């Protein structure tokens, strides 16, 4: 007998109920919905928001970003959701929180959401071999769909090889397998037991899921992620080059010059083909959607309670030198108690993390990708460290919640990695 997960059962029930409504006039039952943790409906204290704003502004300066959008949700204390800065050096329009932007590697989490949704619906199996669904990769016969999601396929990354082409021809449409081929061409590392950051793996996973389900990746993300979570501002766009939305945060990068980068004249790359990221980094969203999404997925809110196997139950070290609290699996990073992702795509650096126990959540995007994804990650962790100390609102009790790092630690890490440089003085 074909098993339906509760999510799909509710969707099917909703369709049947809608038909009953037409035939009988009776009210339809509610379909699946996600209920987030209770959140104090108030702004975070002024002292806390001042520290948060200073952290974001420091990251903007060091990365050459002219604008940022940030959201911090502390369930026991309050929220801070705001836009800072301007669209560009030339365009002094203020940044607003309704602007859409590219969420970069957070897309990986959504791709794994689709995988687990299809597994729960008996469409695919986690241990299915990649060549079963993707042509031209027969040498990956021992690699599974779960390996692609967990980053344990051993496959390399394409990013370094194609970065220049992305920036020079942002309108180019990339076939996913061609883009993945640059990572496939690298020497593999030990599979199954070693984590490796591989954009190629998530591109292949997207192709496999399309083949298995007979639907596009955009349709699958809508079905398994954005529709159930009511993320109206979130989508995987078609491949034709376009801005990330009608009201979009501008995306920029800094031209290289001798001694550093031309920080006073960033190049605009807002209009881009989503095929540069596809199911690795192609999704666009808003800050409220992004916060709601990462909070839900960190809690595995799209799966049945107690569903097995647990998606985040067996993480691996990010690298041999990584801190013991920094691990990866399931398309996400585990940073102490936080679950989330970070990365860059042309024009944007994005990070989003949430604590599955309390619902504590931070999300941020910087509108310059030159420094890569690390500054966005460090900024999210700095914001988390600051916000974790926010006092409880009246009538609330702060939970036992701690992080294995300090705000000062990652503030300094961002400052130490400043990329803007003044051109050498003329002799």
């Amino acid at each position: 007998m074909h098993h339906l997960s509760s999510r799909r059962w509710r969707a099917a029930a909703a369709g049947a109920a809608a038909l009953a409504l037409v035939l009988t006039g009776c009210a339809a039952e509610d379909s699946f919905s996600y209920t987030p943790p209770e959140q104090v409906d108030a702004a975070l204290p002024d002292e806390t928001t001042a520290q948060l704003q200073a952290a974001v502004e420091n990251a903007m300066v060091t990365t050459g970003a002219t604008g940022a959008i940030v959201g911090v949700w502390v369930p026991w204390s309050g929220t801070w959701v705001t836009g800072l800065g301007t669209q560009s050096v030339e365009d002094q329009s203020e940044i607003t929180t309704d602007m859409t932007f590219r969420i970069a590697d957070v897309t990986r989490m959504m791709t794994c959401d689709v995988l687990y949704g299809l597994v729960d619906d008996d469409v695919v199996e986690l241990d299915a071999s990649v060549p079963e669904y993707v042509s031209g990769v027969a040498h990956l016969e021992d690699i599974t769909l779960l390996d692609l999601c967990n980053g344990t396929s051993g496959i390399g990354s394409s990013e370094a090889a194609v970065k220049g082409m992305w920036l020079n021809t942002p309108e180019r449409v990339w076939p996913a397998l061609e883009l993945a081929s640059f990572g496939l061409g690298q020497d593999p590392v030990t599979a199954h037991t070693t984590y490796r950051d591989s954009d190629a793996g998530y591109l292949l996973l997207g192709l496999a899921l399309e083949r298995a389900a007979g639907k596009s990746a955009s349709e699958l993300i809508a079905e398994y992620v954005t529709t159930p979570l009511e993320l109206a501002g979130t989508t995987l766009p078609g491949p034709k080059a376009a801005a990330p939305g009608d009201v979009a945060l501008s995306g920029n990068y800094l031209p290289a010059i001798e001694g550093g980068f031309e920080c006073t004249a960033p190049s605009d790359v807002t209009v881009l083909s989503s095929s540069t990221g596809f199911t690795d980094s192609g999704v666009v969203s808003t800050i409220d959607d992004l916060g709601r999404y990462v909070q839900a997925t960190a809690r595995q809110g799209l799966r049945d309670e107690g569903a097995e196997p647990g998606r985040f139950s067996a993480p691996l070290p990010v690298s041999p030198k990584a801190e013991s609290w920094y691990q990866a699996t399931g398309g996400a990073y585990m940073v102490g108690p936080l679950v989330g992702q970070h990365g860059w795509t042309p024009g944007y650096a994005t990070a989003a993390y949430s604590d599955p126990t309390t619902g504590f959540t931070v999300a941020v995007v910087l509108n310059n990708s030159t420094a890569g994804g690390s500054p966005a990650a460090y900024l999210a962790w700095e914001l988390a460290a600051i916000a974790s100390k926010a006092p409880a609102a009246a009538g609330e009790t702060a939970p036992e919640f701690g992080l294995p790092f300090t705000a000062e630690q990652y503030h300094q890490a961002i400052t130490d990695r400043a990329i803007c440089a003044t051109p050498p003085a003329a002799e």
Side-chain angles (χ1 to χ4, degrees):
M1 179 179 178
H2 182 73
H3 169 71
L4 283 176
S5 68
S6 64
R7 175 185 61 254
R8 294 295 293 274
W9 182 89
R10 293 173 191 174
L19 178 59
L21 176 62
V22 172
L23 297 177
T24 68
C26 297
E29 296 180 9
D30 290 338
S31 60
F32 169 83
S33 64
Y34 168 70
T35 302
E38 291 188 10
Q39 168 71 55
V40 168
D41 186 15
L44 286 170
D46 290 345
E47 181 178 354
T48 301
T49 59
Q51 295 177 54
L52 294 170
Q53 181 163 332
V56 178
E57 290 173 342
N58 174 65
M60 290 168 62
V61 170
T62 60
T63 62
T66 61
I69 308 176
V70 59
V72 179
W73 295 267
V74 185
W76 61 90
S77 183
T79 63
W80 185 61
V81 181
T82 192
L84 297 173
T86 63
Q87 286 280 48
S88 68
V89 174
E90 295 82 11
D91 183 354
Q92 291 293 299
S93 301
E94 293 185 355
I95 304 303
T96 58
T97 57
D98 61 339
M99 289 177 170
T100 50
F101 53 88
R102 305 187 194 281
I103 68 172
D105 293 5
V106 183
T107 303
R108 297 177 176 186
M109 295 178 69
M110 295 186 178
T111 302
C112 288
D113 287 328
V114 173
L115 170 63
Y116 276 90
L118 290 172
V119 168
D120 290 343
D121 289 343
D122 293 336
V123 176
V124 297
E125 296 181 352
L126 290 175
D127 60 0
S129 174
V130 175
E132 182 178 345
Y133 297 106
V134 182
S135 301
V137 290
H139 63 292
L140 299 181
E141 61 181 354
D142 293 330
I143 304 303
T144 68
L145 301 186
L146 182 60
D147 284 322
L148 296 180
C149 171
N150 286 346
T152 54
S153 67
I155 297 169
S157 182
S158 300
E159 176 184 297
V162 298
K163 178 180 179 180
M165 289 182 276
W166 285 344
L167 298 177
N168 292 329
T169 56
E171 72 284 354
R172 176 177 173 176
V173 174
W174 289 83
L177 190 57
E178 178 186 357
L179 190 56
S181 68
F182 294 92
L184 290 167
Q186 297 181 20
D187 292 336
V189 300
T190 303
H192 313 307
T193 58
T194 304
Y195 172 77
R196 186 178 192 180
D197 184 352
S198 171
D199 51 15
Y202 294 96
L203 297 171
L204 293 176
L205 182 56
L207 289 173
L209 299 179
E210 285 188 325
R211 176 75 176 274
K215 299 177 182 179
S216 71
S218 180
E219 291 172 326
L220 290 170
I221 287 173
E223 178 178 352
Y224 283 92
V225 182
T226 64
T227 298
L229 292 179
E230 301 178 279
L231 307 179
T234 305
T235 183
L236 175 58
K240 183 179 179 180
D246 293 334
V247 182
L249 176 69
S250 66
N252 304 280
Y253 71 94
L254 304 176
I257 58 174
E258 184 179 354
F261 296 92
E262 181 52 86
C263 294
T264 61
S267 297
D268 187 285
V269 70
T270 307
V271 176
L272 176 79
S273 169
S274 68
S275 67
T276 59
F278 188 49
T279 48
D280 171 72
S281 54
V283 168
V284 303
S285 190
T286 64
I287 198 68
D288 284 318
D289 273 12
L290 183 58
R292 180 178 173 87
Y293 167 72
V294 75
Q295 185 185 75
T297 295
R299 297 160 62 88
Q300 298 192 65
L302 286 167
R303 302 189 72 199
D304 294 339
E305 185 175 352
E308 295 292 341
R311 177 168 161 185
F312 305 124
S313 60
L316 293 170
V318 169
S319 73
K321 297 181 179 180
E323 298 284 356
S324 60
W325 45 260
Y326 187 26
Q327 300 178 304
T329 197
Y333 291 114
M334 280 89 256
V335 183
L338 305 177
V339 177
Q341 253 292 359
H342 62 266
W344 74 277
T345 196
Y348 307 86
T350 307
Y353 282 87
S354 184
D355 171 40
T357 301
T358 64
F360 175 93
T361 302
V362 296
V364 65
V365 58
L366 301 167
N367 74 339
N368 197 302
S369 60
T370 311
S374 292
Y378 297 162
L379 176 56
W381 302 345
E382 181 184 357
L383 295 174
I386 294 169
S388 68
K389 301 183 184 303
E396 300 290 330
T397 302
E400 292 293 329
F401 178 69
L403 296 170
F405 50 82
T406 66
E408 293 76 15
Q409 176 182 345
Y410 282 104
H411 185 89
Q412 191 61 49
I414 293 170
T415 301
D416 290 346
R417 289 164 175 77
I419 63 168
C420 290
T422 303
E427 297 182 0

